Amino acid sequence: MTTIETGLDRATLVGLYRTAVRIHAFDETYRAQMMSGKFAGMYYSPRGQEFAAASVAAHLRPTDYVVTTYRGLHDQIAKGVPLRDLWAEYLGRAAGTCRGKGGPMHVTSPKHGLMVTTGVVGSGLPIANGLALAAQMRGTDQVTVVNFGDGASNIGAFHESLNLASLWKLPVIFLCQNNKWAEYTSLAGGTTVANIADRAAAYSMRGLTVNGNDPVELYRAAGDAIERARGGDGPTLLEAVTYRFCGHYFGDQSEYIPAEELAAANAADPIPAFRARLIDEFGLSPADLDEIDRAAQEEVDDAAEWAFDQPLPDPSELTTDVYAEETSK
């Protein structure tokens, strides 16, 4: 069934839902296993922000680039990194995308276009400019999407990167996933503008604020931004307004978030909301969506089981992928 209201066909709508539930299943399973004590480590959940990744990545080609942050599981999955590879890397196994040396905060998989996951706030933006400049110099039509939070828009690298990208008309989309919280500081507590995208005007750049929890609205806005970048019309600052359901890091109890605010955000969970739309507005059957849910969980369970069976990195990995050879004294 093709919808008149959105102009999106059934396959696209189902694809957005499938990507979101794969992200959700991975995140829920990973956090559950951490809570059970099966393993330990740092983890930054993207729960609540699934469509901020799915609706944008749906437009990207395998050869396009993505840069993301330590809260990047959703961007990594949406860009196409296999779940087995991700689980192995998150668990520090040799079969991971970085042979277990990156972990959740530094996942990289260039063959899937996931170029950088950075743990330094704001640092991905100038890296994205470099990737976009390389594509521009090669004469390809590759685009780069760089993901960051609202807090990063107050970092110097944000402003420097927007200025340079606009000056050189780089094929880059600056995607601010505005989840309303910069670590423990609310948006209003650290930022004076109502919308992050308003800052684009200072750099003669196109800026747009959309509902990041509405997969259709974001899909259409992202498609336009990516098409413009691919066609040589330069960068866009795209702000996807969403919400962070979990604390800043795994174990953070979110006491600083007003209870009523968090409850309202959870009540508006974008995944069940979109599922209801697919059934009520777009004519999909609950049984079909149940099968997508089941398949996603099965894939996640398979990836987790496989990853736990993989070996840890050999100690020799400590001296590989470095810029200088070890010398004896």
Side-chain angles (χ1 to χ4, degrees), residues 22-59:
R22 291 176 78 237
I23 296 165
H24 176 266
F26 190 119
D27 175 75
E28 290 286 328
T29 303
Y30 192 83
R31 286 190 290 113
Q33 294 198 10
M34 286 187 77
M35 285 187 283
S36 73
K38 193 167 185 179
F39 59 92
M42 292 299 295
Y43 178 61
Y44 300 84
S45 171
R47 186 69 185 90
Q49 300 175 219
E50 293 86 358
F51 287 115
S55 292
V56 178
H59 292 282

Side-chain angles (χ1 to χ4, degrees), residues 94-111:
T97 59
C98 300
R99 300 201 295 279
K101 297 188 291 184
M105 294 180 67
H106 301 286
V107 177
T108 301
S109 186
K111 66 182 178 181

